[in-house]
Amino acid sequence: ILTSFICLRMVSISLEHGLCAISAVGFGQYGMFVSGFSRDLQLGYQYGKLSITILNMYNAKEWLPRVYFMVYGCIYVWKEHLSECYRPLLDAHHLGMQTGDGESGG
């Protein structure tokens, strides 16, 4: 429940004050929440796409492993073929291991 609250707070702050690099994490988490709990796969997919867009917009490589894990590992797998998700997840794993993000990259 605390994770859901943090996720909703991140999205709320981003909408109220504007986007920043970590907004990609908030929208990715929200996409996971919508896909998993609400079973709205299309809406979750759209939030996943938004999360990737924000990540690229800020060139936020420090958040790439975490965002890719959420988006490609937990959202896109319901809408895309697994072969489309494998390479980004592998890239995220390698970058996570290089940068010390063992939680997302491990």
Side-chain angles (χ1 to χ4, degrees):
I1 295 208
L2 181 60
T3 303
S4 300
F5 174 76
I6 292 169
C7 157
L8 292 172
R9 186 73 178 132
M10 289 173 75
V11 169
S12 175
I13 289 170
S14 294
L15 293 174
E16 186 176 336
H17 297 286
L19 298 174
C20 64
I22 200 169
S23 297
V25 175
F27 283 101
Q29 285 179 332
Y30 189 71
M32 281 181 18
F33 176 77
V34 169
S35 295
F37 292 111
S38 300
R39 301 278 190 232
D40 190 340
L41 301 179
Q42 184 59 36
L43 185 59
Y45 185 81
Q46 294 300 320
Y47 278 107
K49 285 174 61 174
L50 176 61
S51 180
I52 297 292
T53 299
I54 295 168
L55 185 75
N56 292 333
M57 185 169 66
Y58 287 97
N59 195 26
K61 297 214 182 298
E62 67 274 17
W63 298 112
L64 188 139
R66 186 171 306 267
V67 171
Y68 273 25
F69 169 73
M70 290 185 291
V71 173
Y72 290 102
C74 300
I75 299 172
Y76 279 19
V77 295
W78 298 106
K79 301 279 288 176
E80 301 284 340
H81 193 274
L82 285 176
S83 64
E84 300 294 320
C85 299
Y86 175 73
R87 175 48 72 185
L89 284 171
L90 189 60
D91 292 344
H93 167 73
H94 288 140
L95 183 61
M97 299 291 26
Q98 290 172 356
T99 60
D101 185 358
E103 183 181 334
S104 302

